[in-house]
Amino acid sequence: MAWALVGAIGGTGLQLLQPVLSPVSVYAAVAVAGLAVLLLRATRRARLSFGRLRASGAVLLLAALAAGWGATGLRAAWFAADALDPALEGRDLAMTGTVVAMPQRAEAGLRLRFAPDTAVLEGAPVRVPPLVDLGWHGAGAFGGADPLAAQASLPDVRAGDRWQWTVRLKAPHGTRNPHGFDYELWAWEQGVQATGTVRVAASAPRPRLLGPTWRYPVERARQAVRDAIYARLALPGGAAPDTADARRRAAGVVAALVTGDQRAIDRADWDVFRATGVAHLVSISGLHVTMFAWLAAAVIGRLWRRSGRLCRAVPAQHAALLGGVALAAGYALFSGGGLPAQRTVCMLAVVALLRLSGRRWPWPQVWLAACAAVVALDPWALLQAGFWLSFVAVGVLFATDSIAGGRRVTPAAGTFHSNVGRWAGRLLREQAVVTLALTPLTLLLFGQASAVGLVANLVAIPWMTLLVTPLAMGGVVLPVLWDAAAWAVQAMGGVLAVMAAWPWATVARPAAPAWAAAAAVLGGALLCMRLPVPLRLLGLAPLLPALFWQPPRPAPGQFELLAADIGQGNAVLVRTAGHSLLYDTGPRYSADSDAGHRVLVPLLQALGERLDTVVVSHRDTDHAGGAAAVLARQPQATLRSSVEAGHPLQALRPIDSCTAGQHWDWDGVRFEFLHPAAADYTAAAKSNALSCVLRISTGSATALLVGDIEAAQEDALRSAGAPLAADVLLVPHHGSRTSSTAAFVDAVAPRWAIVQAGYRNRFGHPAPEVAARYAARGATLVASPDCGAARWSSAAPGRMACERRVAPHYWQHLPQPGSLP
C-alpha cells in the first residue's frame, strides 16, 4: 500500500511539471494501463499468477505512478477544453446566469463569481467558460468618485440571484515574477477560466435582476451571516474615527472566522498576523476544522451514551467519530469550502475510515494515505504552500511522538491542576516542534519567518481557539456574542501589534534553492526528534545553506536589469556587484493594494536586495503607486524624483531632485541623469515632461530608462546631443502614441525595447503603430503581458530571459498572436 500511495502522489507531481498538456488519448491510455495493473495486483488470481511480483514494490510504484499521472492529465485536459475562446476577449457579450458565491466588496464596486447559462454575441449564441469572475464598478469609479459613494450606487447583489447583463471577458492573466504569486494557478484551482467587467456604459443595456433562486442556499446563508455581523458590530456615526476603525477591523476578523471571508480582514491586520506567525488562526484553517470536529465528536459521544438502544445499534465511539467528521465537513462547507478546509476534512475522513475499519497502520502509512487522498481531491494542492506546511507539520508531530497511532496522546488521570500542567507542557512542546521544523520551509515559501511566532502562538492559540472562535460561532445563534468576540479580537490584536513592532519580530532571508530548503526542513525535523542530544545537534548543519544563502550578483563592471511584471506601470530593478537601484515603483491597484506591497517588496526580499537608491521618475500613480510600501521596507535607501513640493512622498523621505548632468559610479558602472534640466522644473506643464531619464552604461553595454517622456522631450534630448544609443530601452510611456517618434527610435537604436503594460489595458498600450516602428528598425519588443518579468545582463547583451518562458506550465496564459491591443 505504501508503494502505491507514493506512486500516486509522485505521478500527480510529475504531471504538474509538464509545460504543455499531452493529448487526451495519451493520458487515457497511461491511466488505464496503470489502473489495470493495480486491479490485477489486488485480486487473488493475480497474486497466484504473479507470485514473483508480489514482493516487488516497484510494480506497484510504477503502476500507481502511471495512474496518477494519467488521471491528473485527463482532469487538466478536460478543464482546459472549457477555456475562453480568444476571439471573445474584449467583446460585448449579453450574458444570463447566476451569482454562485457571496459578492465581495471592493474599492468602488463589487467582485462576483458568476455561472453563465447563456451568452450571446451580436445575436448569436457563443460558448463561454462555466465559471467567471466579474467586477462591477459603481458610478464614477474611474472619475475620482468617493469609493463608498460608488459602492452605494450599486444594487444589493445576493448569492443565488439570476442576472442579465453585458460583460467583457478576458482570460485570467496575472503578473509573473521570480518567487511571485501565481494568480493563474490560483484561478485554475478555483475553476475560474475567465475574468471580466459588467458594462455600465450608455451603449450597453442596464444590468437586470431576473429574480432570486435557491440554487446556492449555503452561500446565501453565509452572506446573510456576514451582513449580520457587520450590522451588529457597526458603531454609530458619531463614534471617534479611531474607535470606529478598530471596530470595523475587528468585525472583519469575526466575519472571516465565521464565514471564511478572508478579504474582510484589513491589510494592516494581515501584516501583523503574518509578522507574528498567527495568520493560520484568523482564517478557516485545519486547526479550526479539527477543533470543531473534536468538539462535535465529544458532544455527540456524550449524548449518544445516554441511549442504550443507540449504543446497541452503533457504538458511541463510532457515532462520535462519524458525527464529528460530518459536522466538520458542514462547517467547512459553510465557511466557503476553501482548500485548507477541504484538505483537513479529507484527512479527518481518511483517519476516521481507518479507525472504523479496525486497521492499525503505522504512522507513515496513515500520513501517506491522507496526502494521497488530498492530492486525489485536488492535484494542484501540491503546488500550494498551505499543503506543505500542513503535512510537514503533521508528519513532524507524528515522527516526534506528539501524535501516536493516528490519535492524540491524552494526559493521564489526575488532579485538575496536574492535567492543566500536562496540557500546557504538551502545547509548549508541540508548538516548539512545529516552529522549529517549519521555520526553514516558511523561509523558502514566503522569504520570511516570525521570530516571535512561538511566543505569539502560545498566547494566541488558546485565546483564539477557546474564546474568540466559539464566541464568533455562537453569535450565529445569539448575536450578542459577536460583541464579546470583537472585544476579544481587539484585545489580542493589541498584544500582537506590540510583538510585531519589535525590530527583530521577523527574520527575512533570500529565497534559497529547493535542495537547500529540503535539507533545512530535514535538519529542523532531526532537531525535534526524541534522540540523544549529540544526534539531534547533527540537524544544525543542514540548516546552514538555507539560512546563509546569497543569490549570485553581477561581476564588477557589469549590471543586470529586472523589469518586473507589475501590470500597467513601470518598475525596473538595477543590480551591480555591490549596489541596487529601483527605477519606479509600479501602480496603485486600489486603496489598500499597490505594486510595492504585492510585487516589489516580496521580490526584493526573495532576492536579498538592500536598495541604495529609489528613483521615482515622476508623480503619476502608475510610477509612484508602490513607493510608500517599498520605502517602508528599505529605510536605508535614498530617494530621487521629480515630484513637486507638497507631494505625499516628500513626507516619507528627503528627496533629491533628478537633474540632467548628475552622475555617479557603482562598481565600474556609470549612472547618469539625462533629463529633466533644472529649467524644466519651472517650465513643464505636465508631469510626464518631468520624467527622470536615467542612462546606465558599462562602456560596452547600455540601458536607457525614460519614464513617460513624450515627443517634445525626445526631441529636446536629441537636440541637446544627449548620449541616447542603448542596447535596452524602456519604451517611453508604455508604448503610447504620444512617444517613440521615429527620430528618437533611430537615435537610440535599441536591440531590446521593453514595454511594461497591463494585459488588454484600457489605454491600448503598446499602440500598434509604435510596435511596428520598433520592429521596422530591428528592435525586439518585449511586452510584459507576453514575457512576464524580463531579465537582461550587460554581460550577455544579446539575451533576454522572460519569466513566462523560464519555467512554463500548462495552466499559464500566453497571449495569442494578435490578442494584444
Side-chain angles (χ1 to χ4, degrees), residues 573-595:
L573 176 65
V574 185
R575 305 167 71 234
T576 67
H579 295 82
S580 299
L581 176 147
L582 182 65
Y583 181 88
D584 279 340
T585 59
R588 184 178 75 93
Y589 303 125
S590 65
D592 60 353
S593 178
D594 56 69

Side-chain angles (χ1 to χ4, degrees), residues 656-696:
D656 295 328
S657 297
C658 53
T659 307
Q662 294 173 342
H663 60 86
W664 67 95
D665 291 282
W666 282 344
D667 309 310
V669 179
R670 187 167 183 84
F671 292 74
E672 181 181 6
F673 283 118
L674 306 182
H675 182 81
D680 293 330
Y681 281 95
T682 57
K686 294 178 61 178
S687 59
N688 287 352
L690 289 176
S691 294
C692 302
V693 175
L694 180 63
R695 181 178 185 268
I696 310 160

Side-chain angles (χ1 to χ4, degrees), residues 445-782:
L445 296 172
F446 303 111
Q448 69 177 30
S450 175
V452 298
L454 176 59
V455 176
N457 275 278
L458 288 175
V459 175
I461 286 177
W463 187 268
M464 296 296 293
T465 57
L466 301 180
L467 180 63
V468 176
T469 303
L471 287 172
M473 296 299 298
V476 177
V477 179
L478 191 62
V480 70
L481 295 179
W482 284 331
D483 295 290
W487 173 86
V489 167
Q490 289 178 263
M492 177 55 63
V495 174
L496 295 176
V498 171
M499 292 185 179
W502 293 343
W504 42 269
T506 58
V507 176
R509 300 298 306 158
W515 64 266
V521 171
L522 293 176
L526 183 58
L527 287 171
C528 300
M529 296 291 184
R530 294 182 180 271
L531 297 171
V533 173
L535 291 178
R536 293 167 66 181
L537 290 178
L538 293 177
L540 291 174
L543 295 174
L544 299 180
L547 292 177
F548 295 99
W549 174 260
Q550 290 295 330
R553 299 194 67 86
Q558 303 293 339
F559 70 98
E560 290 180 353
L561 294 183
L562 176 61
D565 186 5
I566 38 79
Q568 186 68 23
N570 279 158
V572 180
L573 176 65
V574 185
R575 305 167 71 234
T576 67
H579 295 82
S580 299
L581 176 147
L582 182 65
Y583 181 88
D584 279 340
T585 59
R588 184 178 75 93
Y589 303 125
S590 65
D592 60 353
S593 178
D594 56 69
H597 186 269
R598 281 175 48 181
V599 178
L600 298 176
V601 168
L603 176 63
L604 295 171
Q605 187 171 283
L607 297 177
E609 293 296 337
R610 281 177 52 85
L611 296 176
D612 296 278
T613 299
V614 174
V615 176
V616 176
S617 64
H618 62 296
R619 71 183 320 274
D620 288 2
T621 56
D622 56 336
H623 298 256
V630 171
L631 293 172
R633 297 298 295 268
Q634 300 283 342
Q636 76 289 337
T638 59
L639 178 59
R640 293 172 177 261
S641 182
S642 65
V643 299
E644 71 282 3
H647 189 277
L649 286 181
Q650 296 279 4
L652 299 179
R653 188 123 351 141
I655 297 180
D656 295 328
S657 297
C658 53
T659 307
Q662 294 173 342
H663 60 86
W664 67 95
D665 291 282
W666 282 344
D667 309 310
V669 179
R670 187 167 183 84
F671 292 74
E672 181 181 6
F673 283 118
L674 306 182
H675 182 81
D680 293 330
Y681 281 95
T682 57
K686 294 178 61 178
S687 59
N688 287 352
L690 289 176
S691 294
C692 302
V693 175
L694 180 63
R695 181 178 185 268
I696 310 160
S697 181
T698 65
S700 58
T702 301
L704 191 63
L705 311 179
V706 299
D708 279 354
I709 62 171
E710 298 181 348
Q713 291 76 50
E714 294 175 356
D715 292 342
L717 285 169
R718 288 190 306 103
S719 301
L724 297 178
D727 298 275
V728 176
L729 170 68
L730 182 63
V731 172
H733 204 178
H734 321 287
S736 167
R737 293 180 177 86
T738 62
S739 308
S740 297
T741 62
F744 179 76
V745 176
D746 288 336
V748 179
R751 178 182 295 182
W752 305 100
I754 299 176
V755 176
Q756 290 183 298
Y759 177 64
R760 298 198 65 87
N761 63 85
R762 59 194 178 99
F763 307 102
H765 296 159
E769 58 267 36
V770 171
R773 195 172 298 148
Y774 282 99
R777 288 157 176 80
T780 300
L781 197 71
V782 181

Side-chain angles (χ1 to χ4, degrees), residues 179-199:
H179 314 291
F181 174 68
D182 192 342
Y183 166 78
E184 289 149 35
L185 173 62
W186 175 86
W188 179 282
E189 271 203 301
Q190 296 289 315
V192 174
Q193 291 177 291
T195 63
T197 56
V198 177
R199 297 276 287 152

